Amino acid sequence: MSITLDILFLKLRAYLELMKLRLSWLLAFSGAFGYSLGIDKVEWLPLTIFLFAAFCITGAANIINQIIEIDLDKLMKRTQNRPLPSGRVSTREAVWLAIVLFAVSTILFFVEFNLRACALAVLSTILYGFVYTPLKKVGPIAVFVGAIPGAFPPMIGWVAATNQFGLEPGILFAIQFIWQFPHFWAIAWVLDEDYKKAGFRLLPSKGGKDLSTAIQIMIYTLFLLPVGWLPYELGMTGINSALVAMLFGVLFLAQTFHLMRKCSDKTALQLMFGSFIYLPIVQIAYLLDKI
């Protein structure tokens, strides 16, 4: 009995790893932020259902990505021990898990929320799994395409809460869309040698880890300053969160200047961690300011 439980635990752990547990929860949280910002009074049951649906749809997209890239993942040190290339999960299992997660999430979005939120979730999965993934071998255009589904969660949350498109969800989309460029390029800088083994060309400059790439990272980060102020201007949140967004935007921008001076893996890694801090803190500040 103990051996059976151990096997089940290892299989469950492999499934969660296949879904990219931390990334899926981060994006689900981002969606819940948009949902909570869009609704007048947050009720825990609908919010929990939304979180679960968002987690499932993100997990499905991540699995599709890894099924397509299984042979490429075997080439990179960072990914060769993932469930599929390591053989801990079969491709058949992965396909069925993705189908189940996708079906559960789309049903929940449609039944518990609305068709618009469901359509955005489906579109996000298609763009990430079947458009962004193959483009990673084409060039930096993949980052632009991938940033679209990556910025959908707060928009999906708002639309799920209100059943309406508009300027407000567009602003939430814009903040997360712009944020992804410095975030992802910092990751691509640190992992550039590993990415090259799989033929991925994701840095914006042909020279790779150079001043040109650092400048482009700085420019996108600079755009976060005015865009981060817009929720206050639209009356979505108060002045306190606008100041928090400005402060952390300036700190984030300062890291890009440091990268421009050093052009090193160490400063790119610091920028990557800075990007992980910026988004949740700013989103939490918006939410608390609304409350």
Side-chain angles (χ1 to χ4, degrees):
M1 182 68 176
S2 176
I3 295 175
T4 303
L5 288 175
D6 288 342
I7 293 173
L8 287 174
F9 174 76
L10 289 173
K11 183 62 72 173
L12 177 61
R13 183 176 178 179
Y15 284 163
L16 291 174
E17 187 179 338
L18 187 65
M19 295 169 65
K20 296 184 180 178
L21 179 63
R22 285 180 292 181
L23 175 61
S24 292
W25 273 123
L26 177 65
L27 292 175
F29 167 80
S30 181
F33 150 73
Y35 177 83
S36 301
L37 204 61
I39 204 163
D40 292 331
K41 182 180 179 182
V42 177
E43 296 180 2
W44 287 109
L45 181 58
L47 179 61
T48 302
I49 293 172
F50 179 87
L51 270 168
F52 181 70
F55 176 74
C56 287
I57 199 76
T58 307
N62 287 330
I63 293 171
I64 293 168
N65 170 267
Q66 290 174 82
I67 291 171
I68 295 173
E69 292 185 346
I70 182 171
D71 292 330
L72 299 176
D73 281 346
K74 292 176 182 179
L75 303 175
M76 295 183 287
K77 183 178 180 181
R78 182 180 66 94
T79 57
Q80 60 191 202
N81 291 319
R82 282 178 174 175
L84 284 173
S86 67
R88 286 179 289 140
V89 175
S90 69
T91 303
R92 182 183 178 85
E93 285 178 279
V95 169
W96 276 109
L97 181 58
I99 290 172
V100 170
L101 290 171
F102 180 78
V104 168
S105 59
T106 52
I107 290 170
L108 286 174
F109 276 123
F110 181 72
V111 173
E112 296 294 333
F113 301 101
N114 53 69
L115 178 60
R116 289 172 176 169
C118 181
L120 282 174
V122 171
L123 177 60
S124 175
T125 306
I126 293 171
L127 285 174
Y128 185 82
F130 300 106
V131 183
Y132 160 72
T133 298
L135 281 177
K136 287 166 72 177
K137 293 198 72 173
V138 174
I141 184 64
V143 179
F144 176 84
V145 174
I148 297 173
F152 269 165
M155 175 184 276
I156 294 172
W158 182 282
V159 173
T162 65
N163 197 21
Q164 292 180 349
F165 293 108
L167 195 55
E168 291 87 352
I171 293 303
L172 300 182
F173 172 88
I175 293 170
Q176 194 147 315
F177 179 77
I178 294 170
W179 165 83
Q180 284 180 93
F181 289 90
H183 167 72
F184 192 83
W185 280 333
I187 295 173
W189 185 303
V190 174
L191 299 175
D192 187 51
E193 283 74 20
D194 216 19
Y195 279 162
K196 285 178 179 176
K197 295 175 185 176
F200 295 158
R201 295 178 294 140
L202 301 173
L203 290 173
S205 168
K206 291 182 179 180
K209 299 188 289 187
D210 59 10
L211 180 59
S212 177
T213 288
I215 290 173
Q216 292 183 67
I217 291 173
M218 181 275 294
I219 291 171
Y220 277 92
T221 308
L222 184 63
F223 280 120
L224 282 174
L225 299 182
V227 174
W229 195 265
L230 289 177
Y232 164 67
E233 293 294 335
L234 292 176
M236 298 165 63
T237 60
I239 186 64
N240 292 328
S241 59
L243 294 174
V244 169
M246 182 62 67
L247 173 62
F248 279 87
V250 169
L251 292 174
F252 194 13
L253 183 63
Q255 288 187 300
T256 68
F257 287 124
H258 189 44
L259 179 65
M260 288 167 60
R261 287 195 302 269
K262 299 290 185 178
C263 286
S264 67
D265 287 359
K266 181 179 179 180
T267 50
L269 185 65
Q270 291 170 346
L271 180 65
M272 182 185 78
F273 285 119
S275 70
F276 279 122
I277 293 170
Y278 171 85
L279 190 65
I281 285 182
V282 170
Q283 289 182 338
I284 290 170
Y286 286 144
L287 194 55
L288 291 175
D289 212 16
K290 184 220 173 185
I291 294 172

